[in-house]
Amino acid sequence: MTYHDERLPDHLLVRIEQRDDPVSELSEDDARERSIAYPTLMWGMPVFGFVEQVDGRWRILRLAADEPQHARDGLASHFRKLHSELPETDEHATERAGYETAYELLDWEPLDELTVNGRRYRIIRAQPFIRMGPDGPEPPRPTDPDPYPPGQAERDSSPMAGFVIDPTVGTGLTDGLVRMEMISGYLQTDAVGEDVRADSRLAVTSHPNVVLLPVEYTIGAYVAGSWRPRTAATYPTPQAARDAGSFSMGPFAPDENAPFEEVMAAYERARAAHRPPCTDDFEVQGVSCRVTRVETFVRVGPDGPEGPRPSDRDSYPPPARQVHDLREQGLMPDPD
C-alpha cells in the first residue's frame, strides 16, 4: 500500500513522485525495461554496518561487514580515530574520554547501540539483492554513473558512506514498486532454518518500511552451468568492478611454496600486465564473467533502521573477550 497522508508517521511513508527532468525520465525507463528483462529478485547474504543519528536522521558511516561483530569492531575503530584526532587539551578532555570509554566497552561487549558524546550510534543490518533474467544477472544500466576510464576507477568512493536513511524522500514509480514488494517480503525457503524464517517474518511488523540504498556492483562468474559470485566484494561503479574483478595472477602466479618476495614480484608483474575491460561481459582465464548490479535495502521502524537479528551469524566475541577466553582455556599465554 502506498500512503500519501502526511499525518502518517515517517516510518510508514512511501512517497512516489512524478519527476519530469530528462535524466529522471531516462532512469525510470531503464528501471521499467530492466524489471521486465530481469524479473526475478534473488536475495544475498545480509551485510552489516554502523550509523549515527544526526538531526533525527540516521546516516551511514560504513556498510561492508559480513557479520555484526565485524561492524562492531569497525565502530570501535571509528571511535579510536575520533579520539586520536582530538587535541590532548582540557577543552577536549571530556569528549576524548567519551570516545575512549566507548571503544573500550566495544572491545568487551557485543553492543548494537550506544550513545557517545550525545550522539546515538547503531549497528544495522541491510539486505542485498540482484535481478536475474534468462541470460543471467542484471548488468549495469545505461543511466548508471560510470565516470572514470579503465584502470582509473580507484578514485571512486563508496556511495554508502554518508547516505541518510530517510523513508520520506520521494522515489520514482519503479523503485517505489520495488520498495512495496520488499516491505511485505520475507524468507520462505526451506534452505534456511526456522529461526531465520521467524526473524524474517517478525521484521515485517517490527520494521514495516524499507529504504533503497545506493546501487553497487560486483562480478558474477558462469561456472558449471550457473552464475555465482566471483568475489564477495562490491564496488561503487561498474568500472571499479571491472578493474578489480578482471584482475588475475594467471600465468604470473608463482609456486605455492614460493617466498614472499617472489610472490610480491609476481603480483607486481600481473598488475603491470593487467588491462581492465570496458565492457560488462568478459572472460578471466576462460571463465565468462559479468558486471552485476547489486541493490540493497534496509528495513526501517519507528526508531530507525533495523539492527542485527538473533539468527544472524555472529561467530566470534569482541576482541578483548576473545583473548580473555583463550587465556582462560590455556590456548594463549598471559602477557609478561
Side-chain angles (χ1 to χ4, degrees), residues 247 249 252-254 261-273:
F247 175 74
M249 293 285 282
F252 299 96
E261 294 77 9
E262 186 176 333
V263 173
M264 290 306 300
Y267 173 81
E268 292 301 330
R269 290 195 299 272
R271 294 301 303 180

Side-chain angles (χ1 to χ4, degrees), residues 34-228:
R34 289 300 181 85
S35 67
I36 297 171
Y38 299 90
T40 304
L41 303 185
M42 299 184 64
W43 290 17
M45 297 297 292
V47 294
F48 304 88
F50 49 95
V51 295
E52 67 173 340
Q53 192 177 41
V54 180
D55 297 329
R57 296 296 184 198
W58 293 90
R59 180 171 68 95
I60 294 176
L61 298 177
R62 189 174 183 187
L63 185 66
D66 59 354
E67 294 189 19
Q69 187 55 50
H70 295 159
R72 298 182 197 110
D73 293 345
L75 182 56
S77 295
H78 178 70
F79 290 143
R80 282 184 166 87
K81 182 175 183 292
L82 294 177
H83 176 269
S84 68
E85 291 173 345
L86 288 172
E88 295 184 33
T89 62
D90 291 343
E91 180 184 359
H92 296 94
T94 300
E95 194 174 0
R96 282 173 56 85
Y99 290 132
E100 183 176 13
T101 298
Y103 67 67
E104 288 181 346
L105 187 60
L106 284 168
D107 282 348
W108 284 94
E109 302 295 334
L111 300 176
D112 292 329
E113 184 161 343
L114 66 168
T115 299
V116 182
N117 292 330
R119 282 194 171 178
R120 293 175 69 190
Y121 295 84
R122 176 179 296 174
I123 304 300
I124 66 165
R125 180 190 202 275
Q127 180 63 60
F129 65 96
I130 65 170
R131 295 179 177 274
M132 291 288 292
D135 69 331
E138 181 190 11
R141 298 174 183 174
T143 49
D144 286 342
D146 203 14
Y148 296 113
Q152 299 183 34
E154 69 275 1
R155 289 181 286 175
D156 289 325
S157 58
S158 172
M160 293 293 185
F163 182 83
V164 177
I165 300 173
D166 185 356
T168 69
V169 171
T171 186
L173 176 60
T174 305
D175 280 352
L177 293 175
V178 172
R179 285 180 63 184
M180 302 285 294
E181 184 174 359
M182 296 303 176
I183 282 172
S184 58
Y186 60 89
L187 289 174
Q188 303 181 55
T189 174
D190 291 334
V192 298
E194 175 54 35
D195 57 339
V196 176
R197 293 196 298 274
D199 282 351
S200 185
R201 290 192 296 268
L202 179 61
V204 172
T205 55
S206 65
H207 295 80
N209 204 345
V210 303
V211 172
L212 294 176
L213 304 183
V215 174
E216 293 188 308
Y217 305 87
T218 190
I219 300 295
Y222 191 69
V223 179
S226 64
W227 286 93
R228 62 188 65 179

